[in-house]
Amino acid sequence: MPAGAYNSLWQVRTDAWSTLEESTAQLALRGARQHPVESLADTVAEALAVLAPIERFWAFPGMRAFYRVRRLFATGKYDRCATMVTRINRSLATDSYRGSQTWDADAEDDARDREPSQADQAGARPQRPYFEVLIVEDMTEDQERALREEFRRWRRPDDQFVYEIVVVPSFDDALMAARLNFRLQACVVRRRFAHRSRHDTSSLRQFVSLLGSDDLMDRPPDERAQVLARSLARIRPELDLYLMTEVAVEDMAGRLSHHFRRIFHTREGSLELHLSILDGVAARYRAPFFSALRSYSHRPTGVFHALPISHGKSIVNSHWISDMVDFYGLDIFLAETSATCGGLDSLLEPTGPLRDAQELAAKTFGSRKTYFVTNGTSTANKVVVQALVQPGDIVLVDRNCHQSHHYGLMLAGAMVTYLDAYRLNQYSMYGAVPITEIKSQLLALRRAGKLDRVKMLLLTNCTFDGIVYDVQRVMQECLAIKPDLIFLWDEAWFAFARFHPVYRPRTAMRAARTLAEILRLPEHRARYDAQTEEIGAIDAADDEVLLNRRLLPDPARARVRVYSTQSTHKTLTSLRQGSMIHVWDQDFSQKVEETFHEAYMTHTSTSPNYQILASLDLGRRQAALEGFELVQKQIENAMRLRDAVDQHPLLSRYMRCLTTADLIPAEYRPSGIDQPLHAGLPKMITAWDCDEFVLDPSRVTIYIGTTGIEGDAFKRRHLMDRYGVQINKTSRNTVLFMTTIGTTRSSVAYLIEVLVTMARELEAQLTDMSPNERAAHERAVLRLTSPSAPLPDFSGFHPSFTDGRGLPTREGDVRRAFYLAYNDSYCEYLMPDEVEQRVEAGEQVVSTTYVTPYPPGFPVLVPGQVFSPQILAFMRSLDTPEVHGYRADAGYRVYVDKALEIAATTRPAPPPDPRSAPGNAP
Ligand SMILES: Cc1ncc(COP(=O)(O)O)c(C=O)c1O
């Protein structure tokens, strides 16, 4: 297959080695029998040509081994060529090269006729973790070999890890290696390297995009090293970078130490470097809380405390629950304890291994502070909202956000402004909230003189369906209007995104850092001044002007205050409910730390689950060491699924993977690219750089309208009950398949098999249908393929639940509206017909509670919200059995008029103007 047909170079490489194994084996066989071999030889030559420009980025099998394969083939030694290729390919396929018995290409002669070892064939697990180190220097082959030998000489049997080196001669090659070789954990930049690659890199352009300006070689060596370090950190921030220099190392250390983990003088040899490389990886490998828990679990204890299950004591001697140990194993109970001392720690006041574990997580996830949460992002969201929002503060939030925000904002007493996302009526889904909607609400609040009370913007990135915001742009434009706005990005589904260079810029933590850096740049100041020259001060500028241009914040006033909540358990390794709160707030220690602590205490159990905490610690270790590899594979699996559905002749008759163009209207995609990943990496990067929204390729929404089966039935009756395939979300005519770092190629293959079986059955049923059955089927298809009743926008709060002052704006007091309904005499139940009649008669009917049909799973009504004809039409069109907040026997719970009158007369006094508080300058 030509490289252009692939989504990733890793697939190209894997397939090329497999093709090579197959065809060299046949060649060896046929060559021996003197059969015609031309076409086989062509296949081998083609595969070798594919591998030639890419093998140099990996230490295994290494270029010497690769050249040897080529030589054996060229000289007709097919037997030996086949043996060697088989050995390499098996080792690659089973990962056995990662063991401590690494391939020694230089000692190739000893191994050349060796059969694949048992370890190669059995996929033996590595004895100690293996990684590769990139050396950037233009050197001869002999020098390279000598250097490799030098590093190998330092190995000791009790080293924690083993590594091999990959040498590249240029800046371009270094970036390509970092982008392609997921085994790299460190990079040593030496003084002499070229800018451009000597090799023809045209076949790689689809998969890697290069950085670096053309004048690189005109700059002094330390600047070149600095540019390279910055470019590498942008692609792989986790790599430990080292600099080896021949000039004044002390001087360099002063200037460049923030780019490099350490700087060495070349003449000092490589032992210190070798030890530092091992030490750097060991620092990420450390899992302090897991280690503390493991050592604690092996100590004998006498428990005179709660938790009879600790050390398995209440189970091991039990006559009735011994199967608990049989099933879970003893270790998990040995690790159960309520101790917070003896090497362990307290989550509420961490001072030992838990504090260390959280600090390591902050480093890995790019935050300034990270907090572990053992009750999911549902709790994380409530902690952040309570820490930052006081009763009466205005919070702007996507109405389709997770229920934890609705409840959290209600408990906090926020005045909530619901934002409308764009609608995808065709698929009964919402997209994300456009920047114009956010800005118009901020400007409306400004007109009403309420901007001072606006505290926070809360958005979901990415949405359930995979719509990803341009996080930096949203924050930049909002800060232009409201310079102290705080952002909470719900990244429940996006913890993995940090570990892939394409996703990373659209994560909250990276965008916060970038924004803070931009605000400090003189170029930004100049651009801001030019903006002021053009439109005048933002505070005085016309709404229309502000809405229609991309705004820059005032660098002297804007504060970067960003929070992100992530369900680690949803997309990375962690036990269920393991989540993290990441903080990048310039004002955290000054303004928030104490209220954050209170909020954390409010919502956190005093008996947090240690296994969850240990799994968060290990999940962080994994992400720091192999996150890049795993996320890349996750994307590849998603692309395999997409290709398999869309290219299958039978499946494509009934199902179709929705593309970026289907889920993101063209007005939000100035790049004009309909399917960014399919268009190759450079195009994908373009789209991810400039489009307002992009689609997370690892989420695959399949349109199933033409099957005539409704989404929920497709999920429950077919996928789950019959085939054990679990999926999360459906809409009327779509089903969402998520790939994660746990998705395997086999599970993708199984899913395809299931979908094909379903399509075959459908085809068979259609053939056998009676005319009546066929007519019913066609009606079902028509219903599912025609647009449903339009999805409703937020209708508005009843005036009794607004603050009733000044120009009307959208925000409402959900807490008052919620608690008023605790008095039964203020509420009544109305069946839908009755509500409709009253609404038609011009009455305002007000919900006492959240009404949430599932699917789609967002509240159509919140407490205090008025019913609209649009909402009623939408509810009527739904055929979902599950509607929370609605009783089939009694109908909707609504307020009686008396309650609304009371609510209007008992509005709380306006909160004090925050500007008047001492120490709070306007
Ligand atoms: C956007 C969003 N935020 C938060 C949550 C809650 O996360 P958790 O299950 O970790 O409590 C979910 C759960 O589905 C979600 O979809």
Side-chain angles (χ1 to χ4, degrees), residues 28-45:
L29 201 68
R30 293 204 199 169
R33 292 190 203 144
Q34 299 183 338
H35 277 293
V37 293
E38 288 81 9
S39 69
L40 275 176
D42 287 350
T43 312
V44 172

Side-chain angles (χ1 to χ4, degrees), residues 375-379 381 402 404-405 460 462 464 490 492-493 567 569-570 577 579:
N375 195 19
T377 299
S378 305
T379 291
N381 287 335
H402 186 254
S404 54
H405 298 296
T460 309
C462 64
F464 220 133
D490 180 335
W493 295 102
S567 295
H569 69 103
K570 287 196 202 297
Q577 297 189 3
S579 285

Side-chain angles (χ1 to χ4, degrees), residues 438-614:
I438 303 170
K439 279 161 70 180
S440 357
Q441 294 306 328
L442 281 176
L443 293 172
L445 288 157
R446 185 175 82 158
R447 276 197 306 279
K450 296 179 185 171
L451 207 51
D452 289 332
R453 285 170 49 208
V454 177
K455 192 57 151 294
M456 179 190 269
L457 171 67
L458 199 166
L459 294 171
T460 309
N461 187 55
C462 64
T463 68
F464 220 133
D465 303 293
I467 313 290
V468 183
Y469 284 85
D470 183 344
V471 177
Q472 192 186 318
R473 175 181 173 188
V474 170
M475 299 201 289
Q476 205 159 308
E477 291 220 53
C478 290
L479 288 178
I481 299 173
K482 169 77 178 153
D484 58 353
L485 188 64
I486 304 173
F487 300 88
L488 168 53
W489 294 96
D490 180 335
E491 295 187 327
W493 295 102
F494 218 40
F496 72 93
R498 164 92 190 157
F499 304 98
H500 196 279
V502 176
Y503 284 86
R504 193 178 306 113
R506 289 200 178 224
T507 62
M509 290 301 107
R510 172 45 69 93
R513 201 185 102 178
T514 310
L515 189 52
E517 284 167 3
I518 287 177
L519 288 171
R520 284 197 295 268
L521 290 178
E523 293 88 328
H524 176 79
R525 172 90 252 169
R527 271 188 278 133
Y528 175 74
D529 290 342
Q531 171 181 282
T532 311
E533 194 128 306
E534 203 181 324
I535 61 169
I538 285 186
D539 290 349
D542 208 53
D543 286 4
E544 273 309 296
V545 174
L546 300 183
L547 272 177
N548 292 325
R549 65 178 289 149
R550 196 178 279 217
L551 300 175
L552 298 173
D554 179 351
R557 289 169 66 207
R559 304 294 296 164
V560 180
R561 308 194 60 188
V562 186
Y563 293 75
S564 145
T565 50
Q566 295 181 343
S567 295
T568 318
H569 69 103
K570 287 196 202 297
T571 64
L572 295 173
T573 295
S574 159
L575 290 178
R576 202 162 153 83
Q577 297 189 3
S579 285
M580 295 190 199
I581 299 173
H582 303 300
V583 182
W584 212 107
D585 180 351
Q586 289 178 323
D587 296 337
F588 187 75
S589 54
Q590 195 195 336
K591 293 189 177 165
V592 188
E593 198 149 21
E594 282 172 25
T595 53
F596 190 93
H597 188 65
E598 295 297 335
Y600 196 76
M601 299 280 269
T602 308
H603 296 281
T604 303
S605 164
T606 44
S607 313
N609 185 312
Y610 279 0
Q611 316 316 322
I612 295 179
L613 292 171

